[in-house]
Amino acid sequence: MLAAGDNWTDILAVLKWFPLHPRCGLYMRQLDIPGIDTKFVEQRKGILTELLNIILPEETIDHSATSFEQRFGLRVKPLQVRMRLLDQTQYIQGLSDLTIPVEQLKDWSSAANRVFITENEINGLCFPDTENSLVIFGLGYGVDILRAVTWLREKEIYYWGDIDTHGLAMLDQVRSFLPQTCPMLMEESTLFKHSDLWSVEDKPFSGQLTRLTPGEHQLLCSLQNNTWGQGVRLEQERISFQAVKQFLASL
């Protein structure tokens, strides 16, 4: 607290404001505290959390929250999902590349029967046109936000990640809420067809995964045990575009 130095007058102004506006539901940028720049609050979340925990009524604090905003009832920046519609007949007023807050996406259902999920942005941008399909991309381990999009449970789901331990961990993660998920170009044959493009996974995932098929589990074990070399990985963007088209043609 002593590190706050000459800012105590401003800190006290913030502390007076919050009890008068409990769980206000505003974005931090909207806080109208006289003489206080909202960046001041942003930059002092630690000390403000300690003090607000003491002075605010218990019923105005969400102790299970992981962020300052959620803990004290501020509005959180919406999580965004980017996707491309791959079937021109399903474009929305000519639009195919869309970024939608997950809270809105969960209340909308696509006409597409097939959904591809890929981590890499470039793969999402150049994903080939495919009938009755869309691709969601760029979420990485944040893919868990799709758990709220319940209409995905009714779709064919394909996950395309790196062929490495973390790619298989993310496949397992997606299956935790979309158990029907199939892998796309994440098998041993694809790995060896591109052996000249292998790179090294610096910090492999070492845990156990419970939602992989026997073949996928064997691949995971081989990668974890360095069967083919230290930290072998094939990044998804290194897979040939021809292999992508062949996979889609086989569906």
Side-chain angles (χ1 to χ4, degrees):
M1 292 186 184
L2 294 177
D6 295 334
N7 295 317
W8 273 107
T9 299
D10 292 341
I11 287 174
L12 289 173
V14 175
L15 296 179
K16 290 178 181 178
W17 189 90
F18 270 84
L20 296 175
H21 305 83
R23 307 201 67 80
C24 62
L26 299 174
Y27 287 116
M28 191 173 294
R29 184 67 182 84
Q30 294 177 289
L31 301 187
D32 191 8
I33 306 174
I36 304 299
D37 186 329
T38 52
K39 287 186 178 179
F40 179 86
V41 179
E42 177 74 31
Q43 293 166 354
R44 292 163 179 81
K45 289 181 180 179
I47 189 171
L48 289 172
T49 295
E50 291 182 43
L51 295 171
L52 288 171
N53 280 340
I54 296 170
I55 69 169
L56 288 179
E58 279 294 310
E59 63 271 18
T60 67
I61 304 173
D62 181 356
H63 289 284
S64 66
T66 57
S67 72
F68 179 90
E69 291 85 350
Q70 291 172 318
R71 189 177 191 86
F72 301 115
L74 299 181
R75 192 171 182 182
V76 180
K77 179 181 177 181
L79 298 170
Q80 304 277 348
V81 176
R82 188 174 182 184
M83 65 182 183
R84 286 183 54 236
L85 306 177
L86 303 174
D87 187 332
Q88 293 187 22
T89 67
Q90 296 179 357
Y91 286 6
I92 300 174
Q93 296 184 347
L95 301 176
S96 62
D97 191 333
L98 308 167
T99 301
I100 303 174
V102 69
E103 287 299 314
Q104 296 179 18
L105 184 63
K106 71 181 186 180
D107 294 327
W108 172 82
S109 182
S110 171
N113 288 333
R114 186 184 295 129
V115 175
F116 299 94
I117 301 171
T118 185
E119 177 186 353
N120 186 274
E121 182 182 42
I122 294 300
N123 282 353
L125 291 173
C126 67
F127 207 98
D129 287 350
T130 308
E131 184 179 357
N132 213 13
S133 302
L134 64 85
V135 60
I136 295 172
F137 56 100
L139 293 175
Y141 270 112
V143 71
D144 200 61
I145 68 172
L146 296 179
R147 187 181 298 272
V149 186
T150 55
W151 55 263
L152 287 172
R153 301 172 191 171
E154 304 168 3
K155 309 295 184 181
E156 289 181 44
I157 306 292
Y158 291 86
Y159 180 76
W160 181 19
D162 298 331
I163 304 181
D164 62 12
T165 62
H166 285 283
L168 291 167
M170 282 190 272
L171 173 62
D172 183 270
Q173 180 183 357
V174 174
R175 283 190 180 141
S176 71
F177 57 93
L178 295 172
Q180 77 274 32
T181 301
C182 297
M184 174 178 170
L185 297 170
M186 295 181 68
E187 68 292 317
E188 188 175 317
S189 61
T190 297
L191 178 66
F192 278 91
K193 285 177 184 177
H194 297 79
S195 58
D196 56 330
L197 298 175
W198 289 356
S199 57
V200 177
E201 185 178 28
D202 294 328
K203 297 179 180 179
F205 173 82
S206 59
Q208 297 294 317
L209 301 174
T210 61
R211 303 178 187 89
L212 300 182
T213 66
E216 293 161 357
H217 186 262
Q218 180 58 52
L219 175 59
L220 174 69
C221 290
S222 296
L223 293 170
Q224 289 178 328
N225 295 330
N226 299 310
T227 301
W228 305 302
Q230 185 68 37
V232 165
R233 75 183 304 218
L234 175 63
E235 295 167 279
Q236 57 198 270
E237 62 267 33
R238 298 192 178 200
I239 294 175
S240 71
F241 196 65
Q242 185 61 35
V244 176
K245 293 193 291 186
Q246 289 176 350
F247 177 88
L248 296 174
S250 70
L251 298 180

